[in-house]
Amino acid sequence: MNIVACVKQVPDTEALIKVKPDGSGIDEGGIKWVMNPYDEYGVEEALRLKEAKGGEVTIVSVGPARAMETIRTALAMGAEKGVHVSDPLLDNTDAYTTAAALAAVIKGLNPDIIFCGQRAIDDDSGQVGSILAAILGIPQVTIVTKLEMADGKIKAIKPIEGAQLVIESTLPCVITTQKGLNEPRYASLPGIMKAKKKPVDVKNAAALGIATEPKAKVAKMTPPPDRAPGKIIAGDDPAAKAAELVRLLREEAKVI
Amino acid sequence: MYFDETHEAFRASIRRFVDKEINPYMDEWEETTAPLHELFKKMGDLGFLGIRYDPKYGGQGLDYWYETVMLEEIGRIHGMGVSTAIAVQTNMATPAIAAFGSEYLKETYLKPAITGDMVTAIAVTEPDAGSDVFAIKSKAIKKNGYYVLNGSKTYITNGTQADYLTLLAKTSDEPGYHSFGLFVVPTNLPGFHVSKKLDKLGLRSSDTAELFFDNVKIPAENVIGDDREGFICQMKQFQHERFAVLPGTCVGVDNMIAMTVDYLRQRIVFGKPLITKQVLRHRLAGWLMRNEALRQLTYHIVKMKMEGLDATKEVSMGKYLAGQLISEVAGGCLQMYGGMGFMNETLISRYFRDARIMSIGGGADEVMLEIIARLEGF
């Protein structure tokens, strides 16, 4: 099987995010970067599929030079090779352009199945997998928590409000992965050493022949307003304090 | 400056392992002690337990810098019991087998320690011989193709769970240093007894035992190297043991200071956060300065080891400084936490209890100072 897993490098979930003073983006100083957790499920599922059915796993990522670390992490987990689309023109680009870059790479790989995280935890846009499937003209099953493959078809489970859908699809298709699909493995030390020698193709936008002008731009980023300080009701009379609390909840907080 | 991207990738993997497989269970393991077979198997599968050892026996064949990364990251474990158990496996009970053991011993005992299929312990200390290793009384006398072992050992980390011990015993009554043997003693041999599991001030997530040997017949091939040079082998092995505590101490001290600073920022006293008090700020800064000195000494020792130089003096200095610093910082941070620090639910109280061993175990502070003095020629 020819399996592709798309990965994005994102700030660590525990990183303290600060917006740049000019609102053009986040301040990247001091941030630790990790593989998008939803993409990890995709990499893990790709590896399990390879281990069960044979074949190879190719990791594809669009991102700045540092995204190479994330590709190496996936290679250390057990993928065979990588493609890194690295181009300053694509830094912080939109979902459509990212998907177009991925599609340009993936077309040449002739995959049987493609995994994407259902969304990235940084911009939370949740569009790349779907746009990728549309550009490639193949089916997609999104937010998958269980996957089986038999007779050249996949059967995927997708939770919905109060129930779950069982969806069958032909191959090739795009699967976007959700928490619960699997428990991603740790990169072993031998895996990390081997990953150094695995091939990673680095390509820019020109080589892929894609337009770099994003269709959507982030106009401005603003942090959420600071939480207002709490209010302490002073006084010695519990009854009066309770009455004041009720009045404040009703008139100021307007919750009762 | 010291670590490249491959070291950092390894760091990220082991950090994740500590965060997911160890730290969430530490509170429970403080009550029950950590299940080492289960934990070591997971670590062995990931190649974490044989970093420097020969790939022929399942090791990674990597250098001291990789080992340092591992020792730093286990310093992030919430408390020092489990990191001690791991370091016993990697740096205290197995280096002599790797350095001086026969092909048979490496294949039979080093390999399963690296894969995590066996749990190991180092058995040197006895009820009447701690710092004075020379005074041990356990005897292993050669007879009919066996060494018959009698005696007892105490304060043995991993002692109730170990599959084998790396054990030092007298092999003859002759005076001098050439009358000791270092042995691999499987704990399933008849005559091996765990006299008791010891109750300790700290390191409660790690089991510590008193062991008793009653005519235990150790197969002759289980002697590590020469059966008269065990004392020398063990003194060399001690260097790995003492070094092993340095990287984790630096990380532990950093973490204690970081958690204390977080607390001091939130704790309002007399209308201001405690972190604004100069007396506290300066104490914290002073500890950071000394911790940085310890870290630089640690990295210097790694460089010396990489060059094949003898770092006995520097390791002794590092071990002494580490023991002094971690206890002072744990006690000092607990003081800054005030009443909260005295509560078992606050992590700093565990560090306070655990830190105390550092000036005692693996060669007490006084022994470290004596080694330094002797090496200086006075």
Side-chain angles (χ1 to χ4, degrees):
Chain A
M1 293 212 39
N2 207 358
I3 307 164
V4 169
C6 303
V7 300
K8 181 179 188 183
Q9 192 183 44
V10 297
D12 187 4
T13 47
E14 286 175 15
L16 194 66
I17 302 295
K18 280 186 219 143
V19 173
K20 280 195 229 169
D22 66 1
S24 64
I26 63 162
D27 180 357
E28 297 191 355
I31 282 187
K32 197 171 139 273
W33 299 90
V34 298
M35 189 189 302
N36 175 38
Y38 293 104
D39 298 346
E40 285 182 355
Y41 302 123
V43 172
E44 177 63 33
E45 201 64 17
L47 294 173
R48 289 185 189 192
L49 207 52
K50 175 191 78 173
E51 284 155 7
K53 312 266 179 191
E56 65 172 18
V57 176
T58 307
I59 303 299
V60 186
S61 185
V62 179
R66 58 174 157 71
M68 182 64 92
E69 295 159 19
T70 294
I71 297 174
R72 293 273 174 220
T73 301
L75 298 178
M77 288 168 75
E80 275 67 27
K81 57 191 172 67
V83 182
H84 181 192
V85 181
S86 180
D87 193 323
L89 294 171
L90 296 175
D91 286 353
N92 299 315
T93 192
D94 66 342
Y96 179 86
T97 311
T98 302
L102 290 172
V105 170
I106 291 169
K107 257 181 211 158
L109 297 172
N110 292 317
D112 296 296
I113 189 163
I114 301 156
F115 291 98
C116 296
Q118 56 108 335
R119 63 190 160 96
I121 59 158
D122 53 357
D123 58 21
D124 258 345
S125 89
Q127 303 174 62
V128 170
S130 296
I131 300 174
L132 173 63
I135 295 174
L136 293 173
I138 59 176
Q140 55 173 301
V141 187
T142 57
I143 315 187
V144 169
T145 57
K146 192 168 189 301
L147 187 71
E148 286 167 19
M149 183 179 286
D151 307 324
K153 281 185 179 175
I154 56 109
K155 193 163 88 176
I157 289 183
K158 171 190 171 95
I160 54 168
E161 196 72 37
Q164 57 184 25
L165 297 177
V166 180
I167 301 173
E168 276 188 5
S169 169
T170 53
L171 296 176
C173 67
V174 171
I175 302 290
T176 80
T177 52
Q178 169 68 326
K179 187 175 163 67
L181 179 61
N182 54 44
E183 194 55 53
R185 68 194 64 189
Y186 302 96
S188 72
L189 185 47
I192 290 164
M193 302 311 292
K194 277 188 211 140
K196 288 206 295 191
K197 297 183 192 118
K198 290 181 176 173
V200 179
D201 259 359
V202 181
K203 295 192 160 146
N204 61 18
L208 295 174
I210 55 164
T212 54
E213 184 61 24
K215 292 183 185 297
K217 281 184 192 161
V218 173
K220 194 169 172 59
M221 239 185 233
T222 50
D226 286 338
R227 210 172 67 171
K231 188 172 266 188
I232 295 171
I233 301 168
D236 296 325
D237 178 9
K241 286 169 81 174
E244 175 64 1
L245 176 63
V246 170
R247 187 190 69 78
L248 288 171
L249 288 173
R250 191 178 178 83
E251 292 174 15
E252 282 194 16
K254 297 189 167 72
V255 293
I256 53 174
Chain B
M1 211 158 76
Y2 299 97
F3 301 102
D4 66 19
E5 60 195 33
T6 312
H7 293 119
E8 293 308 327
F10 173 43
R11 186 187 299 285
S13 187
I14 189 156
R15 179 170 294 193
R16 188 185 166 116
F17 184 88
V18 166
D19 285 345
K20 289 197 165 184
E21 304 288 339
I22 299 180
N23 277 340
Y25 305 102
M26 279 305 288
D27 288 352
E28 180 191 333
W29 291 346
E30 283 286 297
E31 304 290 328
T32 59
T33 73
L36 296 182
H37 283 90
E38 196 185 311
L39 177 65
F40 287 180
K41 185 67 195 140
K42 287 182 193 167
M43 295 185 76
D45 284 346
L46 293 169
F48 294 169
L49 297 178
I51 293 171
R52 285 189 311 104
Y53 293 142
D54 192 336
K56 201 170 155 193
Y57 309 107
Q60 304 304 318
L62 297 170
D63 63 24
Y64 285 106
W65 288 112
Y66 281 91
E67 181 185 84
T68 302
V69 170
M70 197 274 285
L71 294 169
E72 285 184 336
E73 289 308 308
I74 62 174
R76 294 179 63 259
I77 296 174
H78 295 165
M80 294 160 61
V82 172
S83 51
T84 302
I86 294 168
V88 165
Q89 181 93 352
T90 59
N91 283 60
M92 304 185 194
T94 49
I97 305 175
F100 311 112
S102 63
E103 194 61 29
Y104 163 77
L105 288 179
K106 289 181 195 173
E107 191 63 39
T108 318
Y109 294 106
L110 179 60
K111 202 172 184 175
I114 292 172
T115 56
D117 289 303
M118 279 189 177
V119 172
T120 68
I122 174 74
V124 175
T125 299
E126 296 185 1
D128 295 319
S131 293
D132 185 7
V133 176
F134 189 68
I136 62 166
K137 294 198 182 101
S138 289
K139 255 187 204 166
I141 302 302
K142 198 165 186 181
K143 209 176 181 181
N144 306 327
Y146 291 95
Y147 289 88
V148 180
L149 173 66
N150 281 287
S152 64
K153 296 284 175 185
T154 195
Y155 311 142
I156 307 305
T157 305
N158 301 355
T160 71
Q161 300 187 66
D163 296 294
Y164 69 83
L165 316 167
T166 301
L167 176 143
L168 188 70
K170 291 282 286 183
T171 46
S172 86
D173 289 331
E174 284 168 39
Y177 293 103
H178 306 285
S179 56
F180 295 81
L182 194 60
F183 297 91
V184 171
V185 182
T187 54
N188 59 3
L189 291 179
F192 167 83
H193 302 285
V194 176
S195 331
K196 63 178 159 190
K197 182 176 169 181
L198 299 165
D199 188 15
K200 315 186 287 300
L201 169 71
L203 303 189
R204 297 185 70 87
S205 50
S206 150
D207 65 291
T208 306
E210 189 175 290
L211 309 174
F212 178 64
F213 310 93
D214 176 19
N215 283 312
V216 174
K217 284 163 83 179
I218 310 169
E221 62 264 32
N222 281 24
V223 63
I224 301 170
D226 189 318
D227 73 355
R228 300 173 68 82
E229 300 301 338
F231 191 86
I232 312 299
C233 291
Q234 182 50 36
M235 287 302 129
K236 290 185 175 163
Q237 184 161 252
F238 268 142
Q239 293 307 310
H240 293 281
E241 170 166 349
R242 288 170 189 159
F243 170 74
V245 302
L246 305 184
T249 296
C250 294
V251 173
V253 166
D254 277 344
N255 285 352
M256 280 190 268
I257 292 173
M259 69 177 81
T260 305
V261 166
D262 276 351
Y263 180 76
L264 298 181
R265 280 206 174 102
Q266 292 161 24
R267 179 72 178 167
I268 309 290
V269 175
F270 303 120
K272 272 187 180 169
L274 267 182
I275 193 65
T276 59
K277 306 290 178 203
Q278 196 174 50
V279 66
L280 303 185
R281 298 165 63 80
H282 286 190
R283 280 184 86 188
L284 291 161
W287 291 330
L288 284 171
M289 177 268 293
R290 280 165 62 200
N291 199 37
E292 191 56 34
L294 176 62
R295 195 186 326 268
Q296 292 309 314
L297 177 58
T298 303
Y299 291 167
H300 178 64
I301 292 167
V302 177
K303 280 185 171 172
M304 290 181 77
K305 284 152 79 90
M306 293 291 287
E307 295 285 321
L309 301 173
D310 178 13
T312 306
K313 188 171 78 179
E314 289 74 11
V315 167
S316 306
M317 290 173 165
K319 168 73 170 55
Y320 173 77
L321 177 54
Q324 292 283 310
L325 182 63
I326 199 164
S327 279
E328 182 182 329
V329 172
C333 286
L334 189 148
Q335 181 68 21
M336 294 182 188
Y337 269 87
M340 272 293 280
F342 197 62
M343 297 298 111
N344 278 339
E345 68 186 80
T346 309
L347 184 54
I348 197 69
S349 71
R350 183 184 301 161
Y351 277 111
F352 175 75
R353 289 184 284 103
D354 288 0
R356 193 60 187 83
I357 191 61
M358 285 283 292
S359 286
I360 302 170
D365 282 359
E366 294 73 12
V367 173
M368 294 303 103
L369 292 172
E370 194 53 36
I371 291 172
I372 297 164
R374 221 181 294 153
L375 289 172
E376 281 296 319
F378 57 85

